[in-house]
Every structure is written in C-alpha cells, then in structure tokens.
Amino acid sequence: MSTNPYPLGLRLAGLRVVVVGGGAVATRRVPALLDAGADVLLVAPELTPALRSHVDAGRLRWEPRRFAPADLDGAWLVQVAVDDRAAAAEVSAAAAERRIFCVRADDRVAATAWTPAVTRHGPVTVAVLGGGDPRRSMTVRDAIRALLATEGPRLTSPTEQGRPVNTGGRVALVGAGPGDPELITVKGWRLLTEADVVVADRLVPGLLLDELRSDVELVDASKIPYGPSRAQEEINRILVERARAGKVVVRLKGGDPYVFGRGGEELLACAEAGVPVTVVPGVTSAIAVPAVAGVPVTHRAVAHEFTVVSGHVGPDSPASLVRWEALAGLRGTLVILMGLKNLAAISATLVAHGRPADTSAAVVQEGTTSGQRVLRSTLGAVAADVTAAGLRPPAIVVVGDVVGALDS
C-alpha cells in the first residue's frame, strides 16, 4: 500500500493553528503561518527575540507555559517545534484524539503532516515534499526556484495561445539598485519579468535590460527630448497611456525611486489618471556605494548620523534648497549625490562654515560595477583631486571620519 503523502494547500485565514515550542524551528515556521492569515497560538515557556517581536506587535497569542491538551481545542493544525520526544508525543496524542493534523519537527514518521520546502514567485507557490528528506526537498525546491527565475511570466502568468492574458493595466515604480544587476530586489526582478513595457533610466543596470523578453517594449527615458520638466511630463504620459492600454508597465529607476528619483511625481500622475501603482524600493546608492567601497556611513564611536543631500544645484544658486551652512556644523557623515560638477563650490562652502578642511573625504565612481573607482582625499583637496584623477559622474561623495573607519 502506498504511503505517499496527499498534497494540499491549506487556506488558514482566520483559523486557529497551535505552535508548540519557542525556539529556532518555531521562529522559521511562524512567519509563513502569519502570512497565511492564521490565528496563531504559541505555547512555550520561553521565546526567541524574533518570536517575542511578533507577540509584542499583537500578531499572535502566547501562552508562557508548557503544553496542555486543551490548547488544541478549536485548532485546525498543530506544529510541534520541540526536540523533547516525550513532550512531542504528548502533543501528537492530543492531536490524534481531536483529529487534528500534526507536524512534528522531531519525528517525521510519527507526524500526520509534513512541512514542505516552499518557493514563491508572485502568485505562484510551489511546495516540495521529498519523501521526508528535507535536503532532497530543498534541492528540488531550489531547482524550481531557478527555473521560475529564468522563465518568468511564461511559467507563472495565465496564457492565451502562449501570450500573457491582459489582466488590467498597471504601473510599478521599481528601484534597480546602484549598478550591480544582482542588487535589484527579488520583487523588483519578478515584476520586471512580467512587464509588457519597461521605461528605463540611464543608470539602470544594462544586464537587466538584456534579460527582458523579446516582445517587451523598451522606452529609454534618458533619450526623451525637451528639458527636464518636459521630459518628466512625457515619461508620465507614457506610463499612463501604456497602462490605460492594458499593459503592465515597469518604470525602472537607478537606486531607489524616491531618493532623488522623481518617483513621487510619477506616482501622483498615475494616481490622478486612476492607474494602479506599486512602489518597489531599491537599494540606494547613498548607502550601498560607500559600503562596497569600504566606507560605512555610520560606525560605532565615529558617526551617529548620516545625511544624504543632492549636489546637482550649487550652494550659491537661488534654486538650492539645501542649508549647506547647517550641514557644515554636523559631526556625522555627509553623503552627496549628483555633486561632482559642483564639488569645488560645495567643499569650499562647507569649509567656510566650519567643517575642517582636513576632514576625510572619498569619491566613488560607478560604484558596485566593474568600472568602480575610489578616490580618498580630504574635504579641502577633494575637488582638485577629482579633476586630476579624471573622475566623472555617476559618483558618490562621502565626507566624514567614517572614510577611514575600516582602514585597519
């Protein structure tokens, strides 16, 4: 007689699930139960800090004691996450009396249900059972995850004669990260694989565009004519127009959409037009680029704050919204984006308002990419050193003692 498990997808929203144990196994299992909307009761004398945070946030109920059979009254599922076989057997027996499926971390043979290895790709959830062998399950799961990642919407979208079915136009503002294509978020990459239209900035990692489906319309936003304001109006028009035509549109932006990326303007334009928008944050170059170059923006006993500022407008310009004299009085780290053109004026202004000229400074060109270059200097000399070295945008400037914090 076959002993193969019968696979099911449990819809646990609003249903009681009991987890017995408060250690590492429970820490791994509870988030998926909460994500499924389960009403989780956690029974354990002690909890890990991660589980305690769920309790403190009111996401689940905790009974700080040992298990009692009455804990299973009204439950639909129980997960036993303890390594005490006698205690686990007690839970199993109580579950069997109540005809409740029981997952046991300590003994798969004694369990009436197994927890599969899971991978998620948008609306698709794949659960793998490897005959009770977790290593086999994870190996197969990882292979499926890789397949979903490479095949994208061909495997995960509803299709009609091999093409995605139009399920309604929408826009996603996706941060692509600072330059390394592997630094895009998982969600951002998934949405990119589902896109019908991609509107890309100049600083978007080129390899991400190379992986788009052949039928995707690519709009190079850096080549849109007119001045900055007119170009933004045209980008907004394209987003709204394509989405209203039923397309899935990804606005792919370097770094994070809301860090000097004008993502807010694009969201407002779509909202005014009634177009649904998803915002996917990206790894911002303000933090990632210095980090990859060996410069932490904060460090214990060195910097307790960091400030990110745009340098695209010079300190003496009436259009500047930055109080450079106030920034000069700060003791922490100053990260300047888009400031290479105005670096001489910026550094002179900071020094004039009290920031010591010998303050450490670093400039990172094309950070996180194969073209990365790093220059270390001081605030008083950095502008001249950048010119002598021939550095060019895109580049991040970091000012502060953190520049040398990791030298040892």
Side-chain angles (χ1 to χ4, degrees):
M1 179 172 137
S2 172
T3 57
N4 289 329
Y6 184 80
L8 284 175
L10 299 182
R11 303 178 65 188
L12 296 175
L15 303 181
R16 172 63 53 85
V17 175
V18 178
V19 178
V20 180
V25 174
T27 300
R28 292 174 54 193
R29 301 303 179 204
V30 163
L33 295 172
L34 295 176
D35 184 65
D39 173 18
V40 177
L41 170 63
L42 187 59
V43 182
E46 297 180 351
L47 299 182
T48 65
L51 289 172
R52 170 77 73 164
S53 68
H54 289 303
V55 175
D56 293 343
R59 301 185 189 104
L60 52 79
R61 184 162 64 91
W62 174 38
E63 290 292 342
R65 54 169 172 76
R66 292 180 62 85
F67 170 80
D71 292 329
L72 299 187
D73 292 346
W76 291 66
L77 176 69
V78 58
Q79 293 231 9
V80 185
V82 298
D83 54 12
D84 182 334
R85 293 180 66 85
E90 179 186 357
V91 180
S92 282
E97 290 176 4
R98 293 163 174 77
R99 298 183 179 181
I100 301 170
F101 282 106
C102 179
V103 178
R104 285 182 57 169
D106 68 306
D107 188 345
R108 66 178 181 83
V109 176
T112 53
W114 291 343
T115 301
V118 175
T119 184
R120 297 175 176 86
H121 192 86
V124 174
T125 299
V126 178
V128 179
L129 297 170
D133 182 344
R135 290 183 179 274
R136 181 188 298 138
S137 300
M138 288 187 289
T139 298
V140 175
R141 183 273 313 274
D142 291 345
I144 294 173
R145 173 189 290 163
L147 180 64
L148 289 173
T150 56
E151 296 295 333
R154 191 174 72 84
L155 294 179
T156 60
S157 297
T159 58
E160 183 178 82
Q161 296 181 350
R163 295 185 58 80
V165 172
N166 180 6
T167 56
R170 61 189 189 276
V171 170
L173 305 179
V174 176
D180 181 344
E182 292 187 330
L183 292 180
I184 189 172
T185 64
V186 173
K187 184 172 185 177
W189 191 92
R190 175 177 61 78
L191 288 171
L192 197 58
T193 67
E194 297 173 0
D196 301 308
V197 181
V198 174
V199 182
D201 276 346
R202 177 176 62 88
L203 297 180
V204 164
L207 289 179
L208 292 178
L209 304 180
D210 184 56
E211 295 176 0
L212 296 175
R213 300 192 323 272
S214 60
D215 60 332
V216 171
E217 178 190 2
L218 176 61
V219 178
D220 186 346
S222 64
K223 293 185 178 181
I224 291 177
Y226 317 119
S229 296
R230 291 289 302 277
Q232 187 60 55
E233 292 175 3
E234 181 67 8
I235 291 170
N236 296 346
R237 185 191 66 77
I238 291 170
L239 298 179
V240 170
E241 181 183 82
R242 301 300 195 276
R244 281 179 167 173
K247 304 292 186 179
V248 177
V249 184
V250 168
R251 174 68 169 110
L252 194 62
K253 310 170 78 70
D256 180 275
Y258 285 173
V259 180
F260 307 129
R262 306 187 74 169
E265 298 174 48
E266 292 163 356
L267 181 139
L268 291 173
C270 291
E272 185 178 351
V275 172
V277 182
T278 299
V279 179
V280 182
V283 177
T284 175
S285 60
I287 299 172
V289 166
V292 171
V295 178
V297 294
T298 66
H299 192 70
R300 186 168 64 90
V302 176
H304 289 176
E305 85 270 355
F306 68 95
T307 303
V308 180
V309 61
S310 170
H312 77 288
V313 176
D316 56 350
S317 171
S320 177
L321 301 177
V322 179
R323 293 184 57 193
W324 292 100
E325 67 279 8
L327 294 179
L330 298 179
R331 297 180 59 186
T333 307
L334 180 62
V335 181
I336 305 168
L337 307 186
M338 301 178 290
L340 222 55
K341 181 181 69 173
N342 296 311
L343 186 55
I346 290 171
S347 57
T349 301
L350 292 172
V351 171
H353 287 89
R355 194 77 185 240
D358 62 355
T359 302
S360 296
V363 181
V364 187
Q365 173 187 300
E366 297 185 67
T368 78
T369 74
S370 59
Q372 176 173 300
R373 296 177 62 191
V374 181
L375 180 148
R376 292 173 182 249
S377 180
T378 62
L379 181 59
V382 66
D385 289 346
V386 163
T387 300
L391 265 61
R392 53 178 174 73
I396 307 293
V397 181
V398 184
V399 178
D401 293 338
V402 293
V403 170
L406 303 184
D407 285 353
S408 61

